[in-house]
Amino acid sequence: MKAIQVCVFGAPDVMRLAELADPEPAAGQVLVRVEAAGVNPVDTYIRSGAYARKPPLPYTPGMDGAGVVERVGPGVTRRRAGERVYIAGSLSGTYAQRALCLESQVHPLPDLVSFAQGAAVFVPYATAYRALHHCARAVPGEAVLVHGASGGVGLAAVQLARAAGLTVLGTAGTDEGLALVTREGAHHALDHRSPDFPERLLERTAGRGPDVILEMLANVNLARDLELIAPRGRIVVIGSRGPIQIDPRAAMSKDATLIGMSLLNATAEELASVHSALVAGLENGTLRPIVRAELALAAAPAAHELVLQPGARGKIVLTPWGES
Ligand code: NAP
């Protein structure tokens, strides 16, 4: 099978298209024919060698994907050959024509959801769900600021929060991003690059600020988030690309809570619960993953450049069997 292989950590072009042997599913494992693989910012951190958890070399990148179950190993009871699935982590990497997964890493993909959309489910939606519900414990009627709403996690958070009965404020840095955030369910879309962003946010929350902030770029925004959060509000740090100085007194004066969150810390029980919710949302149409671009597997280096550029508009996916 064709697969991307990384033999040394470094710049995007360390990802090379290789011919590898097809994996064989052992007991409890499932082999998936990958029709689309999702590209996440974390894939770029791992590939560069900068991420705390490094895979042994050589490795095939990718945690997200969707396709069809090709074969199941002995003892697998919940999945069967021919079933459409989305992949939530794998043993062999998803930037490949086939991926070997544990049975617990594959979940049914409803017919109304395309493979490209299925490749945009796991990391974005599980992260957004865990941040909104498990960490912030958002309650219907509260106001949530999705700070960075035009990307993979942000659009997932907008759809989840809207379906849960929250007042949703979402930010983007381009006109296209703002239109998309509105279309996907935000009651208010705000430009995070605009100098009057804090005033606009306070205007739209009757001067209180949001009860919950889901923060995609904490190293830029956290100090100001602490000024803007409502009394007893919760700020969940989802993304941060460096240090920042904050005034703890701002949190103190409001009984505000600052919560760090990594999807990798979710327990098996938490993940099982999250996937039940996500499959239900995909089935009933409240969750509609947004795909911005579909690129061939060989274009993985370009996809890693693109995913870190400003102007997000949903997910980038790789199509291992296609030429586009
Ligand atoms: P993405 O698709 O690249 O989206 C990035 C988002 O950040 C876009 O909406 C972008 O908007 C926005 N942004 C840019 N500048 C901003 C600013 N100054 N203030 C607020 N938002 C700003 O990335 P993603 O997949 O959604 O992931 C978002 C972050 O979360 C990344 O850092 C990622 O590594 C992290 N993450 C963490 C976990 C976890 O477990 N903690 C899981 C998944 C992702 P514009 O491009 O429109 O400006």
Side-chain angles (χ1 to χ4, degrees), residues 40-42 45 123 127 147-154 171-174 177 192-193 215-217 220-221 237-241 261-264 307 309-312 314-315:
N40 288 295
V42 69
Y45 317 151
V123 169
T127 299
H147 212 173
S150 51
V153 179
T171 76
T174 63
H192 48 233
R193 294 190 218 287
E215 183 53 70
M216 306 302 158
L217 202 57
V220 172
N221 297 319
V237 175
I238 296 175
S240 187
R241 293 183 174 162
M261 200 297 293
S262 169
L263 181 61
L264 300 178
V307 76
Q309 282 167 13
K315 291 295 300 177

Side-chain angles (χ1 to χ4, degrees), residues 39 44 292-293 295 300-313 316:
V39 175
T44 73
R292 164 191 184 180
L295 304 175
H304 274 210
E305 306 267 12
L306 191 58
V307 76
L308 293 182
Q309 282 167 13
R313 297 189 307 279
I316 299 161

Side-chain angles (χ1 to χ4, degrees), residues 9-262:
F9 296 114
D13 63 4
V14 299
M15 291 188 289
R16 300 276 163 83
L17 196 59
E19 191 65 41
L20 303 181
D22 285 353
E24 273 301 315
Q29 298 177 355
V30 173
L31 184 66
V32 180
R33 178 186 152 105
V34 180
E35 298 292 344
V39 175
N40 288 295
V42 69
D43 301 342
T44 73
Y45 317 151
I46 296 170
R47 185 221 66 235
S48 73
Y51 200 60
R53 303 188 198 191
K54 292 185 197 51
L57 296 168
Y59 80 99
T60 294
M63 301 178 194
D64 290 1
V68 176
V69 174
E70 216 164 62
R71 285 202 303 285
V72 302
V76 170
T77 55
R78 283 171 291 156
R79 302 280 76 87
R80 55 176 170 71
E83 194 178 3
R84 299 174 89 249
V85 290
Y86 74 87
I87 298 173
S90 78
L91 301 169
S92 60
T94 58
Y95 290 17
Q97 291 182 324
R98 292 185 172 83
L100 191 62
C101 305
L102 297 172
E103 185 179 14
S104 58
Q105 292 174 319
V106 281
H107 304 275
L109 185 69
D111 285 342
L112 72 162
V113 185
S114 71
F115 290 122
Q117 288 179 300
V121 173
F122 172 48
V123 169
Y125 280 85
T127 299
Y129 189 95
R130 187 162 188 255
L132 187 67
H133 293 299
H134 293 183
C135 297
R137 301 193 178 281
V139 175
E142 287 189 318
V144 58
L145 171 66
V146 182
H147 212 173
S150 51
V153 179
L155 287 165
V158 166
Q159 294 173 1
L160 285 162
R162 182 70 193 240
L166 290 130
T167 298
V168 184
L169 303 109
T171 76
T174 63
D175 288 344
E176 294 93 328
L178 289 165
L180 184 58
V181 167
T182 303
R183 194 190 83 196
E184 291 309 315
H187 295 90
H188 307 286
L190 302 167
D191 185 344
H192 48 233
R193 294 190 218 287
S194 168
D196 66 358
F197 165 73
E199 292 76 32
R200 298 274 89 81
L201 179 68
L202 289 174
E203 267 170 33
R204 284 162 179 74
T205 52
R208 279 186 87 239
D211 302 288
V212 171
I213 299 179
L214 304 185
E215 183 53 70
M216 306 302 158
L217 202 57
N219 56 301
V220 172
N221 297 319
L222 190 55
R224 200 171 56 183
D225 289 347
L226 285 165
E227 301 294 338
L228 293 171
I229 191 82
R232 297 179 187 274
R234 292 85 72 202
I235 301 168
V236 186
V237 175
I238 296 175
S240 187
R241 293 183 174 162
I244 183 172
Q245 187 171 337
I246 61 165
D247 181 358
R249 187 167 285 275
M252 212 172 87
S253 62
K254 291 179 176 171
D255 280 12
T257 306
L258 183 58
I259 307 166
M261 200 297 293
S262 169

